[in-house]
């Protein structure tokens, strides 16, 4: 059974940092695109970032550029999202996602990913 399990969420003050982790099990995703999405209350789930499994090139949505950084470890089958200078508007549930097919292309739509974690809550509040 394929599972993606996120961890590292919590409550942090504005300006703080958090690192989210996603561990995959049940199969390897070493050559599959994996990504982070987030869903704020009342809004659609949206793409945050992905990282090329071959080159480690980070692809981060413009609005998070310079604050969010994504890494992956192909051997451990994990991806992480390091977030700094967090804002109250970053409050959301953060989801890890993985594509079923191998490939280097990256995708930003929810329906382009087959596997999803259960999500981890991030709350930014003073």
């Amino acid at each position: 059974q394929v599972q993606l399990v996120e961890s590292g969420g919590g409550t942090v003050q504005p300006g703080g940092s958090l690192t989210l982790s996603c561990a995959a099990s049940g199969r390897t995703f070493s050559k599959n695109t994996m990504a982070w999405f987030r869903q704020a209350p009342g809004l659609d789930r949206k793409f945050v970032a992905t990282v090329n499994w071959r080159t480690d090139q980070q692809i981060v949505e413009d609005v998070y550029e310079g604050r969010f950084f994504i890494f992956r470890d192909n051997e451990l089958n994990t991806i992480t999202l390091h977030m700094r200078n967090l804002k109250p508007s970053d409050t959301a549930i953060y989801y890890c996602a993985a594509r079923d097919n191998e490939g280097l292309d990256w995708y930003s739509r929810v329906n382009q990913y087959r596997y999803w974690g259960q999500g981890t809550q991030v709350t930014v509040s003073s």
Side-chain angles (χ1 to χ4, degrees):
Q1 181 182 359
V2 176
Q3 281 191 312
L4 302 179
V5 179
E6 302 97 336
S7 61
T11 299
V12 64
Q13 293 186 343
S17 299
L18 275 178
T19 297
L20 307 182
S21 296
C22 171
S25 61
R27 62 169 280 183
T28 180
F29 291 101
S30 62
K31 296 182 179 181
N32 301 61
T33 298
M34 298 182 72
W36 285 97
F37 286 73
R38 77 182 198 183
Q39 187 166 16
L43 298 178
D44 293 335
R45 195 171 298 187
K46 294 184 177 180
F47 173 79
V48 173
T50 186
V51 55
N52 187 294
W53 57 262
R54 177 180 289 175
T55 67
D56 289 331
Q57 178 191 6
Q58 299 183 39
I59 299 164
V60 180
E61 192 66 37
D62 288 347
V63 294
Y64 314 122
E65 195 75 41
R67 297 195 302 122
F68 289 12
F69 304 89
I70 183 170
F71 307 94
R72 68 182 289 163
D73 187 321
N74 291 333
E75 290 188 6
L76 295 179
N77 229 14
T78 61
I79 61 170
T80 60
L81 182 69
H82 179 66
M83 307 180 292
R84 68 184 188 188
N85 192 21
L86 284 162
K87 307 173 182 180
S89 57
D90 294 318
T91 295
I93 299 174
Y94 285 72
Y95 296 91
C96 171
R99 282 182 53 81
D100 188 27
N101 297 328
E102 293 183 353
L104 287 168
D105 290 338
W106 66 277
Y107 303 88
S108 61
R109 296 201 302 267
V110 169
N111 62 5
Q112 292 170 318
Y113 291 82
R114 176 176 180 182
Y115 301 104
W116 291 86
Q118 81 289 349
T120 185
Q121 176 71 48
V122 171
T123 302
V124 184
S125 173
S126 55

